[in-house]
């Protein structure tokens, strides 16, 4: 297909087309390594249009159908045409695909004897979130190095001397008979560490395979990935890819990545997660013990004001304990604020029942994941506001409703605690009271937010916000 397209639409000669055919066999390897859709485009007789002559799709490709044989116009893919024109790599430039999808392209030139004969294009979905944009540039540079290395060989026993020397992972190339004709420095280093006393070049696949895969199995599937293989103290990820030229098998590429450090770090994270979970569990138990001691002490107090102070302190301690209880269950430092507030509500309803008061509390709205420090502060704030509602909002009544609404924003989220109680005059509220002082300090100092109070005959609503 590639040769036919080049003959029909381009002015490339036989030698240049042969180079492109050599590179085409390695596109699946490059696509797998950089996790992107990969294409070879060549300029047509129309200077504002290129033609797709080869492709290899990523594991989760954006494309529904093949685009080989379709044209890429300058107005839609300026990166490809720019690099074809001047030979300079282009990074992170938006393009419109033949399937009308917006992507970002990284493009490097394919050269033959100094002449640009095509471009190697990496494409990814523009909507994907990249934590490190530099990573895309590094991937493109790696693809460029691979392309330049591939351009100086034809994948035969005699001239496969420079393939993948730029890649840190281990790369082996075997011919049709299964004999290794090339190993990059990373491969030789890996096999040296496994005790091989001589060069693996010339060995048969059966002597170098590190799992139970067979040549027949690989040929049947054309691409095979072994996620995890334990060899001694090493953990390896192994991928096999059949190379083809003119639909005929010309060899086999073995890509081996040492993931030992990754697996060790995963184990460390698991151990740390277990340790963190245990710490939160112990903190929760200690807080509940403190609350129990305070409760016992409060039973011996006859002064109502002192008893009330003890009760408020017990509720504050338990609201913090709720946060640590959820963190102990998750084993991570983030927790859903909705879960915390739901558990606080249960405590408030038990407290109201002990006062022979019928209270209905609903937690509504969005789930918001926040760290333990902010979760503790929000738990304390909402606990104070709910307790105030229970104590003051329903004087002279036997039942009431409290609604806690959570609204998630992009950077700032809000929590509203509202009741259908008797209301009060907001200008006469005692801002110096301990409860509201705690609320104000926590919101401003810990949550970096603001709060407002609105009250009337239909009840009171207190709204505060916090940064994620």
């Amino acid at each position: 297909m590639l040769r036919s397209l080049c003959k029909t639409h381009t002015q490339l000669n036989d030698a240049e087309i042969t180079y492109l055919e050599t590179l085409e066999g390695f596109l699946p390897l490059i696509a797998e390594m950089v996790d992107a859709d990969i294409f070879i485009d060549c300029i047509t007789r129309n200077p504002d249009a290129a033609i797709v002559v080869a492709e290899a799709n990523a594991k989760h490709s954006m494309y529904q159908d093949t685009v080989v044989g379709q044209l890429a116009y300058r107005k839609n893919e300026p990166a490809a045409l720019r690099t074809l024109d001047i030979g300079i790599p282009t990074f992170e430039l938006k393009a419109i695909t033949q399937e009308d999808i917006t992507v970002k392209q990284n493009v490097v030139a394919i050269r033959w004897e100094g002449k640009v004969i095509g471009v190697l294009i990496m494409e990814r979905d523009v909507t994907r979130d990249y934590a490190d944009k530099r990573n895309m540039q590094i991937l493109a540079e790696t693809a460029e190095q691979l392309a330049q290395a591939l351009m100086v060989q034809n994948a035969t026993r005699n001239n496969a001397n420079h393939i993948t020397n730029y890649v840190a992972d281990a790369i082996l190339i075997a011919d049709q008979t299964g004999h290794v004709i090339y190993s990059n420095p990373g491969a030789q280093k890996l096999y040296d560490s496994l005790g091989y006393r001589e060069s693996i070049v010339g060995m048969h696949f059966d002597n170098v395979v590190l799992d139970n895969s067979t040549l027949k199995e690989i040929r049947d599937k054309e691409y095979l990935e072994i996620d995890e293989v334990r060899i001694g103290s090493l953990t390896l990820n192994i991928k096999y890819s059949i190379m083809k030229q003119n639909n005929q098998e010309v060899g086999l590429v073995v890509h081996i990545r040492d993931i030992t450090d990754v697996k060790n770090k995963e184990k460390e994270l698991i151990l740390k997660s277990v340790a963190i979970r245990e710490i939160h569990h112990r903190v929760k138990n200690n807080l509940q013990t403190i609350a129990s001691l305070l409760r016992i002490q409060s039973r011996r107090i006859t002064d109502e004001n002192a008893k009330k102070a003890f009760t408020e302190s017990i509720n504050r301690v338990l609201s913090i304990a709720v946060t640590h209880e959820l963190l102990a269950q998750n084993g991570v430092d983030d927790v859903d604020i909705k879960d915390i507030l739901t558990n606080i509500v249960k405590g408030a309803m038990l407290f109201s029942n002990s006062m022979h008061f019928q209270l209905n509390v609903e937690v509504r709205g969005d789930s918001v994941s926040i760290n333990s420090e902010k979760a503790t502060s929000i738990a304390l704030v909402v606990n104070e506001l709910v307790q105030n509602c229970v104590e003051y909002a329903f004087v002279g009544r036997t039942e009431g409703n409290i609604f806690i609404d959570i609204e998630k924003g992009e950077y700032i989220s809000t929590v509203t605690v509202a009741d259908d109680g008797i209301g009060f005059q907001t200008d006469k509220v005692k801002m110096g009271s301990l409860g509201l002082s705690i609320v104000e300090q926590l919101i401003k100092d810990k949550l970096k937010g603001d709060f407002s109070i609105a009250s009337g005959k239909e009840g009171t609503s207190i709204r505060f916000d916090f940064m994620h």
Side-chain angles (χ1 to χ4, degrees):
M1 175 69 82
L2 183 149
R3 179 170 291 273
S4 173
L5 290 171
C6 289
K7 286 287 188 181
T8 303
H9 298 279
T10 77
Q11 296 178 326
L12 301 178
N13 60 39
D14 287 339
E16 293 165 343
I17 295 172
T18 299
Y19 258 158
L20 293 178
E21 287 177 329
T22 301
L23 179 57
E24 180 184 20
F26 290 89
L27 290 191
L29 172 64
I30 300 173
E32 183 276 325
M33 289 184 65
V34 299
D35 188 26
D37 293 315
I38 304 293
F39 305 91
I40 296 176
D41 282 19
C42 297
I43 197 68
T44 65
R45 292 176 174 82
N46 177 352
D48 290 319
I51 187 165
V52 184
V53 297
E55 67 181 359
N57 296 124
K59 189 176 294 184
H60 302 96
S61 175
M62 296 176 290
Y63 287 83
Q64 301 296 320
D65 301 302
T66 180
V67 293
V68 172
Q70 296 190 37
L71 295 176
Y73 294 98
R74 190 181 299 274
K75 63 181 181 179
N76 294 329
E77 301 186 39
L81 275 297
R82 173 184 183 271
T83 300
L84 279 167
D85 286 340
I86 61 178
I88 297 176
T90 306
F91 298 113
E92 292 286 280
L93 201 61
K94 287 185 179 180
I96 305 297
T97 71
Q98 287 84 354
E99 295 182 355
D100 201 30
I101 299 172
T102 302
V103 298
K104 281 188 178 179
Q105 289 185 334
N106 290 263
V107 186
V108 293
I110 301 171
R111 299 178 186 273
W112 163 259
E113 296 183 348
K115 172 188 173 183
V116 176
I117 62 172
V119 288
L120 191 68
I121 303 173
M122 292 171 48
E123 285 187 359
R124 292 198 185 190
D125 187 349
V126 72
T127 62
R128 287 175 61 178
D129 182 30
Y130 299 106
D132 182 7
K133 289 189 176 181
R134 171 62 182 161
N135 191 43
M136 279 292 287
Q137 183 170 338
I138 292 171
L139 291 176
E141 290 167 353
T142 302
E144 180 180 17
Q145 291 171 338
L146 276 171
Q148 299 307 319
L150 292 168
M151 288 302 95
V152 297
Q153 60 76 44
N154 326 337
T156 67
R157 187 187 301 273
N158 296 323
N159 54 9
N161 297 320
H162 301 289
I163 303 172
T164 64
N165 283 339
Y166 301 100
V167 183
D169 297 337
I171 303 291
L172 304 177
I173 297 178
D175 61 16
Q176 299 96 317
T177 67
H179 289 88
V180 177
I181 62 172
Y182 172 78
S183 69
N184 76 333
Q188 195 60 56
K189 181 179 178 181
L190 171 65
Y191 280 86
D192 285 347
S193 71
L194 295 176
Y196 282 67
R197 300 299 183 187
E198 55 187 312
S199 172
I200 56 179
V201 174
M203 292 186 181
H204 193 270
F205 176 83
D206 293 342
N207 285 335
V208 298
V209 64
L210 298 178
D211 60 281
N212 59 359
S213 299
T214 65
L215 275 173
K216 182 180 184 306
E217 180 184 8
I218 297 168
R219 283 168 173 154
D220 288 343
K221 295 183 178 180
E222 294 191 355
Y223 179 83
L224 179 64
E225 179 173 357
I226 310 298
D227 289 331
E228 188 174 327
V229 176
R230 292 298 302 271
I231 305 292
S233 60
L234 300 178
T235 305
L236 307 174
N237 171 253
I238 306 176
K239 303 177 182 67
Y240 302 100
S241 180
I242 295 294
M243 295 187 300
K244 288 191 174 183
Q245 185 172 330
N246 296 329
N247 291 323
Q248 297 295 318
E249 179 184 334
V250 296
L252 167 70
V253 175
V254 183
H255 175 203
I256 306 172
R257 175 167 294 167
D258 186 348
I259 57 173
T260 305
D261 288 342
V262 174
K263 289 298 176 180
N264 288 339
K265 287 178 181 178
E266 286 180 358
K267 290 179 182 177
E268 290 177 10
L269 288 174
I270 291 172
L271 291 174
K272 287 180 180 178
S273 177
V274 172
I276 291 171
R277 184 182 296 139
E278 180 61 22
I279 290 170
H280 284 303
H281 182 71
R282 292 185 181 184
V283 171
K284 182 259 300 185
N285 287 344
N286 290 337
L287 289 170
Q288 289 180 336
T289 300
I290 293 171
S292 297
L293 293 173
L294 290 172
R295 192 176 289 112
I296 292 171
Q297 186 67 29
S298 69
R299 291 171 185 163
R300 300 179 181 180
I301 297 174
T302 56
D303 183 88
E304 288 302 320
N305 289 330
K307 188 181 286 289
K308 176 184 174 184
F310 265 87
T311 301
E312 291 174 348
S313 297
I314 290 169
N315 288 331
R316 288 166 188 149
V317 171
L318 290 177
S319 68
I320 299 174
V322 165
T323 302
H324 286 282
E325 181 178 15
L326 291 173
L327 288 166
Q329 294 172 3
N330 296 337
V332 294
D333 192 48
D334 286 347
V335 65
D336 188 346
I337 189 62
K338 196 171 186 180
D339 292 337
I340 292 176
L341 300 187
T342 299
N343 280 275
I344 289 175
V345 160
K346 293 177 182 177
M349 294 180 73
L350 289 173
F351 177 69
S352 66
N353 290 338
S354 67
M355 299 172 60
H356 307 291
F357 178 80
Q358 185 64 41
L359 177 65
N360 173 56
V361 186
E362 292 184 33
V363 179
R364 309 179 298 194
D366 304 320
S367 293
V368 182
S369 181
I370 55 175
N371 62 43
S372 57
E373 182 180 3
K374 289 186 177 179
T376 299
S377 298
I378 292 174
L380 284 169
V381 168
V382 173
N383 176 72
E384 291 294 330
L385 297 178
V386 170
Q387 294 303 321
N388 279 346
C389 289
V390 172
E391 186 173 356
Y392 301 113
F394 308 109
V395 176
R397 291 170 50 174
T398 58
E399 60 181 7
N401 297 292
I402 298 176
F403 304 100
I404 303 174
D405 291 295
I406 306 166
E407 184 179 348
K408 182 179 181 180
E410 186 172 358
Y411 303 109
I412 298 176
S413 295
T414 61
V415 176
T416 302
V417 179
D419 62 65
D420 58 356
I422 60 176
F424 63 94
Q425 291 181 314
T426 56
D427 58 341
K428 294 183 179 180
V429 65
K430 296 180 180 179
M431 294 303 293
S433 66
L434 179 61
L436 285 178
S437 295
I438 291 174
V439 167
E440 183 176 18
Q441 184 174 355
L442 287 171
I443 292 174
K444 291 186 176 180
D445 295 345
K446 296 294 185 180
L447 301 177
K448 308 302 180 185
D450 293 309
F451 77 104
S452 59
I453 303 174
S455 187
K457 293 181 180 180
E458 296 182 353
T460 300
S461 174
I462 300 180
R463 177 187 176 94
F464 69 91
D465 54 31
F466 59 92
M467 295 183 65
H468 296 181

